[in-house]
Amino acid sequence: MSGRFITFEGIEGVGKSTQLEVARGYLQQRGIDVAVTREPGGTPLAEKIRALLLDAGHTAMAPDAELLLMFAARAQHLAEKILPTLAAGRWVLCDRFTDATYAYQGGGRGIGAERVAAVEQLVQGALRPDATILLDAPPQVGLARARARGAGADRFESEQLRFFERVRDAYLQRATAHAGRFTVIDATAELAEVSRQVTGVLDRLLTEQ
Ligand code: Z5A
């Protein structure tokens, strides 16, 4: 049996990494073999592309170069990790995937969904996540949480609030357009409540097994 592919999405600081760990623990307790990974990145080559993408010194990166680097990293990640892991019957929990490209490059950078869809088709064919959890919060909330950690801002984190508002709008449009795959969770809620809703999504997937 092939595994399930679950992605976690949302703007910066909404709690994706936190909830990925909650999901990992919950599934492992139920005997599910889980692999946790992230985008851009997840393999040595894709992590090198990630470093190029996040480097705040690359101020002149063209939007199409950013789009293609995201998908170059994704192509490697799919070939080397995601597809073999699913084929081995393991579940993959991924911190961001192509919905992030629709949101950040399509919405935030203004490239538009059609250009993103063209490259998605080239790189992924029909592959889509089985379920996507969108942690939704106003950008002010996510940015405040992320900045409280005190690390320096990368190339995306250096963007203005308006950029993150466009990203959030694009995510919510994706969730409406693909309502069967997405679950939108209010990420401003208490941690325990967000976790309860995340594990509810996992329970649904487990009963479909
Ligand atoms: N990017 C892109 O443009 N296009 C693409 O296709 C892809 C990515 C795949 C790297 O992302 C950048 O790549 C990203 C978009 C771009 N840049 N941005 N922005 P990343 O995923 O590596 O980085 P990130 O989104 O900045 O992750 P993050 O800052 O680590 O956020 P998070 O994982 O969502 O949050 P967290 O670390 O779990 O939580 C943040 C803090 O909030 C932490 O102290 C928690 O304890 C706290 N927290 C979490 N939940 C709660 C609740 N419910 N209440 C209170 N406090 C909470």
Side-chain angles (χ1 to χ4, degrees):
M1 188 198 311
S2 80
R4 313 303 298 271
F5 182 27
I6 306 168
T7 56
F8 290 73
E9 298 283 1
I11 58 165
E12 190 198 0
V14 286
K16 297 177 302 298
S17 315
T18 307
Q19 293 304 327
L20 263 162
E21 284 311 311
V22 169
R24 182 214 297 261
Y26 192 80
L27 290 170
Q28 284 177 340
Q29 276 173 11
R30 281 150 189 79
I32 304 286
D33 193 1
V34 190
V36 172
T37 189
R38 70 172 182 182
E39 289 214 344
T43 76
L45 175 55
E47 289 289 331
K48 286 190 175 172
I49 299 172
R50 176 189 178 92
L52 290 174
L53 281 160
L54 298 195
D55 186 338
H58 294 159
T59 50
M61 189 181 291
D64 276 350
E66 185 177 286
L67 174 71
L68 293 170
L69 284 171
M70 286 294 174
F71 272 107
R74 184 161 299 135
Q76 186 64 30
H77 192 202
L78 280 165
E80 192 178 336
K81 192 170 201 175
I82 295 177
L83 295 176
T85 305
L86 292 172
R90 302 179 68 201
W91 288 40
V92 175
L93 306 182
C94 194
D95 191 340
R96 300 188 183 280
F97 192 62
T98 304
D99 293 303
T101 316
Y102 280 97
Y104 281 82
Q105 284 65 54
R109 299 284 187 227
I111 286 176
E114 296 75 19
R115 274 173 102 71
V116 179
V119 194
E120 177 185 43
Q121 174 59 32
L122 184 76
V123 170
Q124 290 171 226
L127 179 89
R128 300 291 180 274
D130 294 302
T132 297
I133 293 172
L134 174 58
L135 299 173
D136 177 58
Q140 292 91 332
V141 173
L143 293 174
R145 283 185 195 164
R147 282 169 191 162
R149 289 181 310 204
D154 65 34
R155 206 168 56 83
F156 289 98
E157 291 163 352
S158 309
E159 288 293 337
Q160 302 298 309
L161 196 59
R162 186 68 199 104
F163 173 83
F164 292 103
E165 284 166 351
R166 289 196 299 275
V167 172
R168 183 192 187 196
D169 288 347
Y171 265 134
L172 290 171
Q173 283 172 25
R174 294 284 298 161
T176 302
H178 303 275
R181 170 164 67 85
F182 270 84
T183 301
V184 182
I185 297 176
D186 176 6
T188 65
E190 293 286 320
L191 197 52
E193 172 57 20
V194 178
S195 304
R196 192 187 64 74
Q197 294 190 43
V198 167
T199 56
V201 174
L202 301 177
D203 283 337
R204 278 209 305 278
L205 289 166
L206 286 166
T207 54
E208 288 167 11
Q209 278 281 90

